[in-house]
Amino acid sequence: MSNFPLVTVFMISYNQQDYIIEALESVLNQNTNFSYHIILSDDCSTDNTKKVIDSFLEKHPKKNLVTFVSQEKNLGWMPNFIFTLKKCQESGAKYIAMCEGDDFWTNPDKLQKQIDLLEQNQDVTLICHQYKELYNDGSTVDCPYFRKDFFQGKNSFKFSQKDFEEFMRIQTMTIVFRSSALDLSLREKYDYYCDTHIKHHILDNGSGMYTRDFDAVYRIHGNNVFMSLDERKKIKFTYDVYKDLIIKNHSFGYKNLLNHAMRRRIESELQHKKLNIFDSYYQKLLLTQYKDIHSLPLYIKNQFKGLFNI
């Protein structure tokens, strides 16, 4: 018998004192017929996240299932992300599941169902599912990001890396993948390495599987690392990630998503400023868009928009 857990659960936190316990409990409440372990790394939170975690674990009967790392200095979101993934891989687990500290799982059988499917489908290297977005007012939205014909009346469908490039969105807290498919050294070839690159390269090693389950919640709030970025930086980062994969990895399937991100950048400028035709940043966006898609009519159209959005 191996002393390694079958699954290691990746968790990270930063200034999530109000959410981290719900996330931890949702993982610790999993019903499984296999062993799993949680590695949680807090990135030197400036609120009471560390105290909240320490107090929770001190009293919890399953505290031995959690390795809690409290960083002495702030690494930043992606360095802490990579640090924690490394620790998960070093645990010797066959599979890695993911749940960031402000998200949570909603089904105590989530992990068991996903591992069963991975064990039954050796060609599948990553499994994920639908999810709900939760907003500050308590409202939720169902988030399936794929072509509607994919399920074809079934409870799951398999997808390729090409499918992922063209139109799929996979949220971190829905994922379980084979640890052997993770190659973090690939980050050295990129300028904007993030979770999209990680998902892409896991799919170098096999198919993905998407199930109908709504077994997790993605929380939308101001303390979310990505959502808390201002609008201009947030949309630019999305664009830069796709550009990174296209240029550095020749993954041209991301061109549609790249173009969509640029359209959002231009629309955002038009919404928040007037007379953009005289703005150097807006002109830089239009020139970049023209270099990406070589559409002179669109370039002229956006120049007129920049003049008349008064």
Side-chain angles (χ1 to χ4, degrees), residues 245-263:
L245 282 156
I246 291 169
I247 292 176
K248 299 297 179 67
N249 201 57
H250 307 294
S251 299
F252 298 111
Y254 290 107
K255 280 189 174 181
N256 286 336
L257 291 172
L258 178 83
N259 295 337
H260 176 71
M262 178 55 77
R263 289 194 298 271

Side-chain angles (χ1 to χ4, degrees), residues 219-235:
R219 196 188 299 269
I220 306 294
H221 61 91
N223 292 333
N224 177 293
V225 174
F226 187 67
M227 297 304 295
S228 62
L229 294 174
D230 67 54
E231 185 72 12
R232 181 182 280 185
K233 289 181 179 178
K234 186 170 65 174
I235 306 175

Side-chain angles (χ1 to χ4, degrees), residues 44-296:
C44 197
S45 290
T46 58
D47 66 358
N48 290 317
T49 298
K50 182 181 182 301
K51 290 181 180 179
V52 167
I53 294 171
D54 284 336
S55 177
F56 173 79
L57 291 178
E58 182 181 5
K59 305 170 185 176
H60 202 283
K62 294 183 179 179
K63 63 184 179 181
N64 63 310
L65 297 183
V66 183
T67 296
F68 177 40
V69 179
S70 179
Q71 301 292 349
E72 295 183 359
K73 63 179 182 178
N74 182 261
L75 302 178
W77 170 60
M78 203 59 216
N80 190 43
F81 198 103
I82 293 168
F83 168 89
T84 311
L85 277 179
K86 276 185 175 180
K87 291 295 183 184
C88 289
Q89 204 165 36
E90 290 168 0
S91 74
K94 184 177 180 180
Y95 300 106
I96 298 174
M98 306 187 79
C99 185
E100 296 187 41
D102 50 353
D103 305 323
F104 57 96
W105 297 348
T106 56
N107 187 338
D109 297 317
K110 167 191 154 69
L111 205 51
Q112 183 70 57
K113 289 190 296 181
Q114 290 185 294
I115 295 303
D116 286 346
L117 286 169
L118 282 164
E119 291 283 282
Q120 294 161 12
N121 294 270
Q122 294 300 310
D123 60 316
V124 172
T125 193
L126 176 151
I127 189 166
C128 58
H129 54 70
Q130 301 181 96
Y131 61 96
K132 293 180 181 289
E133 287 184 349
L134 172 64
Y135 298 89
N136 286 335
D137 63 1
S139 63
T140 62
V141 174
D142 291 352
C143 291
Y145 286 96
F146 42 76
R147 276 208 334 243
K148 291 183 178 179
D149 63 318
F150 270 13
F151 277 117
Q152 296 182 344
K154 300 178 181 178
N155 290 324
S156 66
F157 64 84
K158 292 182 181 179
F159 62 91
S160 66
Q161 189 180 69
K162 183 175 182 291
D163 296 326
F164 178 66
E165 291 178 15
E166 290 181 353
F167 41 70
M168 295 191 67
R169 179 177 172 185
I170 302 171
Q171 280 295 357
T172 303
M173 73 287 169
T174 73
I175 292 175
V176 183
F177 62 89
R178 298 183 190 275
S179 179
S180 59
L182 177 65
D183 183 358
L184 290 172
S185 70
L186 291 168
R187 69 187 185 279
E188 297 170 7
K189 69 186 279 188
Y190 294 108
D191 296 324
Y192 298 94
Y193 189 79
C194 71
D195 57 321
T196 301
H197 297 74
I198 291 168
K199 296 163 192 171
H200 174 94
H201 284 295
I202 287 173
L203 293 169
D204 284 338
N205 301 280
S207 300
M209 178 180 282
Y210 210 120
T211 68
R212 284 190 182 276
D213 307 293
F214 282 94
D215 286 350
V217 167
Y218 178 62
R219 196 188 299 269
I220 306 294
H221 61 91
N223 292 333
N224 177 293
V225 174
F226 187 67
M227 297 304 295
S228 62
L229 294 174
D230 67 54
E231 185 72 12
R232 181 182 280 185
K233 289 181 179 178
K234 186 170 65 174
I235 306 175
K236 180 183 183 299
F237 181 75
T238 301
Y239 174 89
D240 288 337
V241 166
Y242 296 136
K243 192 81 168 182
D244 208 23
L245 282 156
I246 291 169
I247 292 176
K248 299 297 179 67
N249 201 57
H250 307 294
S251 299
F252 298 111
Y254 290 107
K255 280 189 174 181
N256 286 336
L257 291 172
L258 178 83
N259 295 337
H260 176 71
M262 178 55 77
R263 289 194 298 271
R264 286 181 60 208
R265 294 177 72 185
I266 292 170
E267 289 167 3
S268 179
E269 294 299 312
L270 291 170
Q271 289 172 3
H272 293 97
K273 293 188 70 175
K274 303 297 183 183
L275 292 173
N276 296 78
I277 194 169
F278 302 115
D279 182 79
S280 60
Y281 183 78
Y282 182 76
Q283 291 297 331
K284 182 180 178 181
L285 290 183
L286 297 196
L287 184 59
T288 301
Q289 185 186 50
Y290 179 75
K291 289 178 180 178
D292 286 341
I293 63 177
H294 305 289
S295 173
L296 184 58

